[in-house]
Amino acid sequence: TIGGLDLSEMITYVAISWIGRSFYFNNISRDLMRRITEGEIAMQLIKPFHVQTVMMFEAIGESGFRLIMFTLPIMVVVVPLFGIAGPSAPGLYLWTFLSFCLALVIYTQINFLVGCLAFYMKNISGVLRAKMVSMDFLTGVVVPFTFFPDWFQRAVEYLPFQAISYIPVTIYLGKRP
């Protein structure tokens, strides 16, 4: 047991983290950067709709597509291949899915904020790469938070990142009420 997870839980953790990521992942920051640099955003801002809300619902629609075309097929292959066990209670499936839906909203808003940097910077490609790598660590996709030192866990627990992957997966594992 390392960081409160035994080997089978760790395999389940990694698999469910990446399966969940295939659902909530979106490129709003890259799309917003493109719209800003090409000037397309000016035409959107004069229209009678809220750009951020429209982009969020585009991401929700994309996640519905990703659920059917990526997440479910990945689950069909990965779950039997690695012997991923289901949660201890059947209700945890629903709570895990709901938590990943909330993760989608959080991830979308963070991406929108990062994409808005394109208003102030000429090119945010480096920022996007740094965001992608740091988000994989800060969300707990690559390494669970319990593997980090206590000071790091305390510092990051007040930020929204762990709600993106770590919390949904610990709900699935039955480690979080």
Side-chain angles (χ1 to χ4, degrees), residues 12 41 43 64 76 85 109 121-122 124 130 151 153:
T12 301
I41 194 73
M43 292 306 294
V76 167
Q109 298 308 308
M121 300 172 74
K122 207 173 217 178
I124 65 167
W151 63 267
Q153 290 180 39

Short mmCIF file of all heavy atoms in Angstrom, two decimals, residues 12 41 43 64 76 85 109 121-122 124 130 151 153:
data_model
loop_
_atom_site.label_atom_id
_atom_site.label_comp_id
_atom_site.label_asym_id
_atom_site.label_seq_id
_atom_site.Cartn_x
_atom_site.Cartn_y
_atom_site.Cartn_z
N THR A 12 -6.75 0.77 -10.96
CA THR A 12 -8.08 1.32 -11.17
C THR A 12 -8.03 2.84 -11.20
O THR A 12 -8.66 3.48 -12.05
CB THR A 12 -9.05 0.84 -10.06
OG1 THR A 12 -9.09 -0.58 -10.10
CG2 THR A 12 -10.43 1.40 -10.25
N ILE A 41 -13.20 36.96 -32.91
CA ILE A 41 -13.87 37.23 -31.63
C ILE A 41 -14.62 38.55 -31.66
O ILE A 41 -15.64 38.70 -30.98
CB ILE A 41 -12.83 37.19 -30.47
CG1 ILE A 41 -13.53 37.12 -29.11
CG2 ILE A 41 -11.91 38.39 -30.52
CD1 ILE A 41 -14.14 35.81 -28.80
N MET A 43 -16.45 39.82 -34.03
CA MET A 43 -17.80 39.60 -34.54
C MET A 43 -18.67 38.86 -33.53
O MET A 43 -19.87 39.10 -33.44
CB MET A 43 -17.75 38.82 -35.86
CG MET A 43 -17.14 39.61 -37.00
SD MET A 43 -17.92 41.22 -37.26
CE MET A 43 -19.54 40.76 -37.78
N GLY A 64 -20.30 15.15 -24.95
CA GLY A 64 -21.28 14.12 -25.30
C GLY A 64 -20.79 13.25 -26.44
O GLY A 64 -20.92 12.02 -26.40
N VAL A 76 -14.77 -0.15 -22.65
CA VAL A 76 -15.03 -1.52 -23.11
C VAL A 76 -13.72 -2.30 -23.26
O VAL A 76 -13.68 -3.50 -22.99
CB VAL A 76 -15.83 -1.50 -24.43
CG1 VAL A 76 -15.84 -2.85 -25.11
CG2 VAL A 76 -17.24 -1.00 -24.19
N ALA A 85 -12.10 -3.24 -11.28
CA ALA A 85 -13.28 -3.58 -10.49
C ALA A 85 -14.22 -2.38 -10.42
O ALA A 85 -13.78 -1.23 -10.47
CB ALA A 85 -12.86 -4.00 -9.08
N GLN A 109 -13.95 26.17 -17.66
CA GLN A 109 -13.75 27.55 -17.20
C GLN A 109 -12.26 27.88 -17.08
O GLN A 109 -11.84 29.00 -17.39
CB GLN A 109 -14.48 27.78 -15.88
CG GLN A 109 -15.98 27.61 -15.97
CD GLN A 109 -16.60 28.43 -17.10
OE1 GLN A 109 -16.38 29.62 -17.22
NE2 GLN A 109 -17.37 27.76 -17.96
N MET A 121 -1.40 38.67 -24.89
CA MET A 121 -0.13 38.12 -25.38
C MET A 121 -0.26 37.83 -26.87
O MET A 121 -1.35 37.50 -27.36
CB MET A 121 0.20 36.82 -24.62
CG MET A 121 0.37 37.01 -23.13
SD MET A 121 0.53 35.45 -22.25
CE MET A 121 2.18 35.00 -22.71
N LYS A 122 0.85 37.93 -27.56
CA LYS A 122 0.84 37.69 -29.00
C LYS A 122 0.62 36.21 -29.33
O LYS A 122 -0.11 35.86 -30.24
CB LYS A 122 2.17 38.15 -29.57
CG LYS A 122 2.11 38.58 -30.99
CD LYS A 122 3.43 39.18 -31.40
CE LYS A 122 3.15 40.33 -32.34
NZ LYS A 122 4.35 41.01 -32.75
N ILE A 124 0.15 32.38 -27.23
CA ILE A 124 0.07 31.67 -25.94
C ILE A 124 0.31 30.17 -26.09
O ILE A 124 -0.05 29.40 -25.21
CB ILE A 124 -1.28 31.94 -25.23
CG1 ILE A 124 -2.46 31.38 -26.01
CG2 ILE A 124 -1.45 33.40 -24.92
CD1 ILE A 124 -3.75 31.34 -25.21
N ALA A 130 2.33 24.52 -21.13
CA ALA A 130 2.59 24.51 -19.68
C ALA A 130 1.31 24.20 -18.91
O ALA A 130 1.34 23.45 -17.94
CB ALA A 130 3.16 25.85 -19.25
N TRP A 151 2.67 19.22 2.75
CA TRP A 151 2.62 20.67 2.51
C TRP A 151 2.03 20.96 1.13
O TRP A 151 1.28 21.92 0.96
CB TRP A 151 4.00 21.32 2.66
CG TRP A 151 5.03 20.83 1.67
CD1 TRP A 151 5.93 19.81 1.83
CD2 TRP A 151 5.25 21.35 0.35
NE1 TRP A 151 6.68 19.65 0.69
CE2 TRP A 151 6.29 20.58 -0.23
CE3 TRP A 151 4.67 22.37 -0.40
CZ2 TRP A 151 6.76 20.82 -1.52
CZ3 TRP A 151 5.15 22.60 -1.68
CH2 TRP A 151 6.18 21.83 -2.22
N GLN A 153 -0.11 18.96 -0.54
CA GLN A 153 -1.53 18.62 -0.47
C GLN A 153 -2.34 19.74 0.18
O GLN A 153 -3.41 20.10 -0.30
CB GLN A 153 -1.73 17.32 0.32
CG GLN A 153 -1.24 16.09 -0.40
CD GLN A 153 -1.46 14.84 0.42
OE1 GLN A 153 -2.48 14.70 1.07
NE2 GLN A 153 -0.50 13.93 0.40
#
